[in-house]
Amino acid sequence: MSSGAASKSPRGADGIGLNVTGLQIMTPVSATAEPSERQLELSLLFTDIEGSTRLLQRLGPAYDAALTLHNTVIRKVLKTHGGTEVSTAGDSFFAVFSDPGRALAATVAAQKALARQDWPGDMPLRVRMGLHLGEVRYSPEQGYRGLDVHRAARISAAGHGGQVLISASLLSAIGPDGLPNGVSAADLGLHYLKDLRYPEHLYMLTIDGLEDIAASIKTNRNSPNNLPTSNNLPIGRDDEMAVLHHLFSKDATRLVTLTGPGGAGKTMLALETAHGLLDHFPSGVFFVPLAPIQDPAMVPIAIAQAMGVREFPGMPLDRSLRAALTQGPTLLVLDNMEHVIEAAGTVGNLLADCPDLKILVTSLEPLNIRHEQLYDVGLLPSPPVDASIGADAALSYPAVRLFVERAAAARKGFALTAENLQSVLSICNQLDGLPLAIELAASRIRLMTPQMIDHRLEQSIDVLAGGRRDEEGRHRTLRDTIAWSYDLLDPPEQQALAALSVFGGGFTVDSAVAVCADHNVGADTFDLIVSLLNRSLLREDEVSGETRLRMLETVRSFVTDELESGHHADTLRARHAAHYRDMVVALADDLVGAAQRAAVTRLHDEMANLRAALRWATQQPTADLTADLLRGLLWFWIPQGLYSEGRTWIEAALTQAKTQPDGRAKAIIHDVAGWFRIFSGDYEGALESCEMAHALYADHGQAHEHGRAKATYGITLAASGQFPAGPEMIMASLEAAKANADDEGVAIALVALGEGARYGGDVATAESCYHEALTILERLGNTWWPGGILQNLAHFRLREGRWEDAVTLLNRTYALAGTNGYHILVLLYLMGMGGVGVVRGEHAQAARLLGATRALLERAGAAFEPSDEAEFQRYEAEVAQVLGDASSALVREGAGLTQAEAVVIARRLAAVS
């Protein structure tokens, strides 16, 4: 099937929605009480002053007057144009508008008004602004949230002072004639922004009378990473970070494993070290959490997904992953490797095959493979329990400093004094300098004095029998500290913490409430979460613009035992699986539609929980939950190239289906398996599943399900050489879809018929089917199938010499590819534009483009489908014939191009003479 597939806080945390400090709620200034969360489409404006710190230093006391004037100007413009001020933080504003035209007018007016001001010290303020139209969720409790809020903030952050950047969605909503007089929008193309999975199509406004800021915008192209941001930075680890930075600056360093007891802060140290190494690894720094993974065979899958590596039909993941890891200096951070220590050999093989790869591991035990350098993350030094050393000297010890800083965060105004010094020193020594244990104790400062904490620790923790201070003793210290902290919780808090251990990885507050609400004896789940955060039993991270919560593995290990002992584990795991089933069902239609970027990002963020839900579902005696999950995830796995992931769960589901009676769930599982195998290029394996689905749907399915099953069954029959049975079955599917008013089913059948006609050389029939399918799919808002259809039609036009029409079609392909992250379509676009060069007589440029396409395919470990490969080879042959010996050098030149450089050549070829 031709889809072509064979606010300023540390490290840029924006404080959007749920703030990453203590789960404090950010609500809009004008918010009033409302009953529930609402989904809104709004224009989102972010602004901030460029170089505000430098201005403060230069202006001194006059800076306050400048900031006040700036705030007055912005607020006046917002009021005039109907904007709502959501929040301010320092020198930044976040505002929303219901009308995109008024939002744009306000932004232009703000820049003009700022330019007219007489600024203190004759130093004009340069304000960068970003404007985006998107979907947001709003509730009075949690304010404005969602990926598009994060996207708008990132658009603003990419600009320079005086620049206004706007998204394609906002410009499209305004329309080509909607820009104010004297304002134009320059197309900046696609750009990857920090923390965003998809590239954003950006435009820069030029405003008559204002300075044209020509500086290149700041994008994330040269430092891709998925490192989570957190306000819980390591304390007392400066020396360790310096050593690790030095180690990774050496060519000889390939693998460093951070070892040490649970709670020593290995993950936090690894993440902070990785943030400091971003500039040293231009091909990327990627964090791979392994704690949620139980099967060592899934480690390569987890690495590939963390890196955003796409799999391609017929190509093993191993090849695609290695291709990605040989693009340049790359750092992987493999966290909690002890969970899958059997995968150490896989890690060693990656290092052997990828010379530019370096790996930082956290583990309770060594990997014991070649290249490994061990680095023990020791305990934080603590002073002797002797108050005579004084508070200042005590604070020079990291353990004491950690306790004091965390205690001060828990209770405003807390400080180390002569009265509490002895107790603080005793606490740090009792807890062996273990960072997590110290944090748990410090969190109790809200309700207890240091003296009370010290006394309770002496009574409650059975530690270090016989004075032993070895590693086993440290593990015991930590576990006893967690037990002590757990025992101090109220029963609803204990139940909530145990319930939250069912999540496979990080989770949102909404998911926690949905899964655990009925488990907390009537207590408010949200309030309980805040309480657990305040006690350091949960952590917060900023992911895709939202706060996600997570439980440290040492805490999870303890509370999972508590959950099992309470006899509620099965009930909660069933609720967890059902919640994520409901999520994927709700998102299924968006996965190949206009809203796919938000839907796909959401599912990627929930990958660990999806795996946990699938693991639970496939182990149950009935398969209904499994079937729903598989059907909802099918068009997540295929377009995103998650073939190994999907194959893992489909095979588990097929095993489960063998024990099931004939019914709809069994039909769905075989239907999903059939589709998946078709797109994987496994037509022989697909035939059995498609035949089974067709038969089962006949007795147990709905009419449209049986009709669509005829299409996949027909495709696999035709692919296995069974004519005319295959085409006849596809025709029957078309008729059934029309009878059932199933427009998408009609389009799928037409695509299948078009492919068959194309393979058979019947261009007229193929084109007719393609056009009819394309009309339907575009009306439905589908973004997956049209790209392949458009590039097929482009090749027909090139065969007729109509290269201008081919360019129009290929440009539409590229727009779909870039917006939705369909990497294979980008390569098909480049190949098609090479064909344009051939038809135009620009054979040298065509050779470069075709060489680039072939090299990019090889680097990705990908291949085109046979029909597309045939077009490719035809263009390559013509270039070689026309250029002769010169073609080889030009092809090699093209092979050295990046994808972005190849796209530039393609755009030049597209220009009409």
Side-chain angles (χ1 to χ4, degrees):
M1 307 288 290
S2 186
S3 64
S7 108
K8 302 182 177 70
S9 51
R11 294 189 299 271
D14 296 295
I16 299 165
L18 289 177
N19 194 298
V20 294
T21 305
L23 205 66
Q24 297 171 4
I25 307 304
M26 178 187 292
T27 54
V29 172
S30 61
T32 57
E34 294 184 35
S36 61
E37 182 172 270
R38 292 184 295 154
Q39 190 84 11
L40 304 169
E41 183 179 69
L42 295 172
S43 297
L44 312 166
L45 172 65
F46 279 85
T47 78
D48 76 320
I49 300 171
E50 183 179 54
S52 55
T53 302
R54 185 175 63 253
L55 278 172
L56 175 60
Q57 293 171 343
R58 291 184 179 180
L59 291 175
Y63 178 77
D64 288 342
L67 184 60
T68 299
L69 178 57
H70 161 269
N71 293 352
T72 300
V73 169
I74 298 294
R75 289 190 170 117
K76 181 178 180 181
V77 169
L78 292 177
K79 183 177 180 180
T80 302
H81 292 81
T84 298
E85 178 186 331
V86 176
S87 65
T88 59
D91 57 20
S92 65
F93 274 81
F94 170 31
V96 297
F97 298 78
S98 58
D99 179 75
R102 299 191 76 178
L104 185 70
T107 306
V108 172
Q111 287 289 18
K112 288 183 175 180
L114 291 167
R116 290 195 299 266
Q117 302 305 311
D118 293 324
W119 297 101
D122 198 27
M123 293 188 64
L125 272 64
R126 291 178 174 269
V127 179
R128 56 187 170 197
M129 301 183 181
L131 196 56
H132 172 59
L133 178 67
E135 295 284 338
V136 301
R137 303 193 304 281
Y138 169 75
S139 70
E141 297 81 15
Q142 300 184 35
Y144 293 93
R145 297 181 298 149
L147 183 62
D148 278 314
V149 178
H150 190 56
R151 181 171 286 118
R154 289 302 182 216
I155 290 171
S156 175
H160 296 272
Q163 284 183 333
V164 177
L165 302 181
I166 65 174
S167 66
S169 63
L170 186 122
L171 186 61
S172 176
I174 293 172
D177 301 322
L179 291 173
N181 290 333
V183 177
S184 60
D187 188 346
L188 301 180
L190 295 168
H191 290 270
Y192 284 91
L193 304 177
K194 180 176 172 57
D195 300 331
L196 294 176
R197 180 173 295 276
Y198 290 96
E200 193 66 35
H201 195 160
L202 297 179
Y203 295 81
M204 182 176 67
L205 295 188
T206 299
I207 304 170
D208 286 355
L210 299 186
E211 180 184 359
D212 186 10
I213 309 298
S216 300
I217 66 173
K218 294 170 282 187
T219 70
N220 200 38
R221 290 185 183 276
N222 295 324
S223 57
N225 73 88
N226 69 335
L227 299 178
T229 58
S230 173
N231 279 1
N232 286 316
L233 303 179
I235 291 175
R237 297 297 191 188
D238 293 347
D239 291 344
E240 287 89 340
M241 283 190 285
V243 171
L244 290 171
H245 285 171
H246 178 67
L247 278 175
F248 279 103
S249 70
K250 296 180 177 180
D251 292 340
T253 300
R254 301 295 310 283
L255 168 66
V256 175
T257 300
L258 304 184
T259 59
K266 298 185 294 295
T267 298
M268 194 181 296
L269 175 59
L271 281 172
E272 195 63 17
T273 298
H275 275 287
L277 290 169
L278 281 170
D279 291 342
H280 298 276
F281 294 94
S283 292
V285 178
F286 302 99
F287 178 70
V288 187
L290 299 176
I293 293 177
Q294 297 183 0
D295 182 359
M298 292 197 74
V299 169
I301 300 175
I303 294 173
Q305 290 176 9
M307 295 181 65
V309 173
R310 299 292 182 87
E311 293 179 71
F312 298 91
M315 294 292 168
L317 171 64
D318 182 72
R319 177 176 170 182
S320 298
L321 179 58
R322 278 165 170 73
L325 289 170
T326 52
Q327 298 306 298
T330 305
L331 177 66
L332 296 180
V333 181
L334 306 183
D335 188 43
N336 286 299
M337 187 75 192
E338 71 275 359
H339 287 267
V340 282
I341 199 69
E342 296 87 350
T346 300
V347 173
N349 291 336
L350 288 176
L351 287 168
D353 295 343
C354 309
D356 289 331
L357 172 64
K358 297 191 178 190
I359 300 178
L360 177 59
V361 170
T362 74
S363 179
L364 293 176
E365 58 182 297
L367 275 60
N368 292 321
I369 59 175
R370 188 183 176 202
H371 301 300
E372 185 177 35
Q373 299 182 59
L374 299 179
Y375 188 88
D376 181 51
V377 180
L379 308 178
L380 294 179
S382 302
V385 185
D386 179 2
S388 66
I389 68 171
D392 289 342
L395 284 171
S396 68
Y397 287 85
V400 176
R401 192 161 71 250
L402 174 63
F403 181 91
V404 172
E405 289 197 18
R406 297 296 189 254
R411 192 179 79 199
K412 187 175 181 180
F414 177 83
L416 192 63
T417 65
E419 289 73 24
N420 62 31
L421 177 57
Q422 182 82 16
S423 296
V424 171
L425 296 178
S426 177
I427 291 167
C428 293
N429 275 272
Q430 284 196 76
L431 298 179
D432 257 356
L434 271 170
L436 177 58
I438 291 172
E439 289 192 44
L440 291 174
S443 71
R444 284 291 161 184
I445 209 72
R446 287 173 177 266
L447 302 174
M448 304 167 68
T449 65
Q451 292 85 348
M452 294 168 63
I453 295 172
D454 182 28
H455 180 65
R456 292 290 291 270
L457 283 172
E458 289 177 348
Q459 289 186 326
S460 303
I461 300 182
D462 175 22
V463 297
L464 307 175
R468 291 173 55 225
R469 292 186 176 270
D470 57 10
E471 188 165 328
E472 181 180 344
R474 296 170 197 163
H475 283 298
R476 182 90 179 269
T477 298
L478 179 62
R479 185 169 182 83
D480 287 344
T481 306
I482 295 171
W484 170 75
S485 191
Y486 181 83
D487 289 341
L488 290 175
L489 298 175
D490 295 333
E493 293 171 328
Q494 292 178 340
Q495 293 174 17
L497 186 64
L500 292 171
S501 70
V502 302
F503 287 94
F507 52 91
T508 65
V509 174
D510 292 341
S511 292
V513 171
V515 173
C516 306
D518 296 340
H519 185 65
N520 296 318
V521 212
D524 184 274
T525 304
F526 186 85
D527 290 342
L528 293 172
I529 287 172
V530 173
S531 178
L532 295 173
L533 277 164
N534 290 337
R535 287 160 172 75
S536 296
L537 291 164
L538 294 177
R539 291 284 196 264
E540 295 173 279
D541 294 318
E542 181 93 0
V543 180
S544 301
E546 288 197 304
T547 295
R548 288 180 67 83
L549 309 173
R550 62 184 170 88
M551 190 179 296
L552 295 179
E553 286 309 302
T554 45
V555 176
R556 184 193 302 278
S557 176
F558 176 87
V559 296
T560 298
D561 293 342
E562 295 297 318
L563 178 64
E564 298 289 352
S565 67
H567 308 295
H568 297 293
D570 284 352
T571 299
L572 281 163
R573 290 195 176 104
R575 287 174 62 93
H576 174 273
H579 171 70
Y580 285 98
R581 181 269 317 280
D582 293 344
M583 178 185 292
V584 300
V585 168
L587 293 174
D589 288 342
D590 291 337
L591 292 173
V592 288
Q596 72 122 276
R597 296 200 299 178
V600 167
T601 298
R602 181 106 180 261
L603 293 184
H604 270 292
D605 291 343
E606 298 290 0
M607 186 66 77
N609 285 304
L610 294 175
R611 288 170 177 160
L614 284 160
R615 188 179 304 114
W616 166 262
T618 53
Q619 292 171 355
Q620 300 313 299
T622 59
D624 297 278
L625 187 59
T626 300
D628 289 342
L629 283 164
L630 259 60
R631 172 176 276 181
L633 290 169
L634 175 64
W635 297 106
F636 172 55
W637 290 329
I638 290 174
Q640 297 304 310
L642 300 173
Y643 286 99
S644 294
E645 181 79 29
R647 189 176 299 111
T648 296
W649 300 113
I650 287 171
E651 293 302 321
L654 288 170
T655 299
Q656 183 185 29
K658 292 177 182 178
T659 66
Q660 302 296 304
D662 289 352
R664 188 161 177 266
K666 192 170 184 176
I668 292 172
I669 290 171
H670 280 284
D671 185 35
V672 169
W675 270 115
F676 191 85
R677 287 168 169 171
I678 287 171
F679 274 89
S680 300
D682 179 15
Y683 287 97
E684 182 178 349
L687 178 58
E688 180 182 355
S689 283
C690 291
E691 183 178 15
M692 179 73 77
H694 180 255
L696 289 170
Y697 275 139
D699 296 326
H700 305 284
Q702 300 174 9
H704 78 278
E705 292 173 326
H706 189 219
R708 290 196 187 187
K710 291 180 184 296
T712 51
Y713 188 26
I715 291 166
T716 52
L717 284 171
S720 62
Q722 298 187 47
F723 298 97
E728 288 175 353
M729 188 64 72
I730 297 172
M731 284 298 301
S733 172
L734 178 61
E735 296 306 315
K738 289 178 178 179
N740 296 325
D742 177 12
D743 287 349
E744 188 173 66
V746 169
I748 290 170
L750 286 168
V751 171
L753 290 172
E755 288 294 282
R758 183 186 179 201
Y759 282 119
D762 185 353
V763 173
T765 299
E767 182 154 357
S768 175
C769 290
Y770 287 153
H771 277 296
E772 190 176 350
L774 187 61
T775 299
I776 295 170
L777 291 165
E778 291 184 331
R779 175 168 52 80
L780 294 175
N782 187 288
T783 62
W784 168 241
W785 299 91
I789 295 173
L790 289 164
Q791 70 95 26
N792 288 348
L793 293 172
H795 293 301
F796 293 164
R797 299 290 79 78
L798 288 174
R799 285 179 177 269
E800 298 165 352
R802 294 163 55 186
W803 66 266
E804 296 96 335
D805 293 338
V807 165
T808 299
L809 293 164
L810 289 167
N811 282 343
R812 291 168 65 189
T813 295
Y814 182 68
L816 283 169
T819 300
N820 300 299
Y822 299 144
H823 181 57
I824 195 71
L825 278 182
V826 176
L827 301 184
L828 286 168
Y829 162 79
L830 293 174
M831 183 266 284
M833 290 306 301
V836 169
V838 169
V839 174
R840 290 194 63 181
E842 299 279 353
H843 290 90
Q845 292 291 61
R848 293 186 180 95
L849 263 187
L850 296 172
T853 304
R854 185 67 74 188
L856 289 167
L857 272 173
E858 291 175 357
R859 289 175 210 163
F864 289 148
E865 288 188 1
S867 55
D868 296 320
E869 178 63 25
E871 301 284 5
F872 197 176
Q873 292 180 11
R874 184 167 64 84
Y875 299 142
E876 288 177 321
E878 184 162 345
V879 163
Q881 182 178 0
V882 171
L883 296 178
D885 293 341
S887 66
S888 297
L890 291 166
V891 167
R892 285 195 300 272
E893 183 180 329
L897 297 173
T898 66
Q899 181 173 296
E901 291 167 339
V903 169
V904 170
I905 293 176
R907 285 180 170 175
R908 289 173 184 160
L909 272 175
V912 178
S913 301

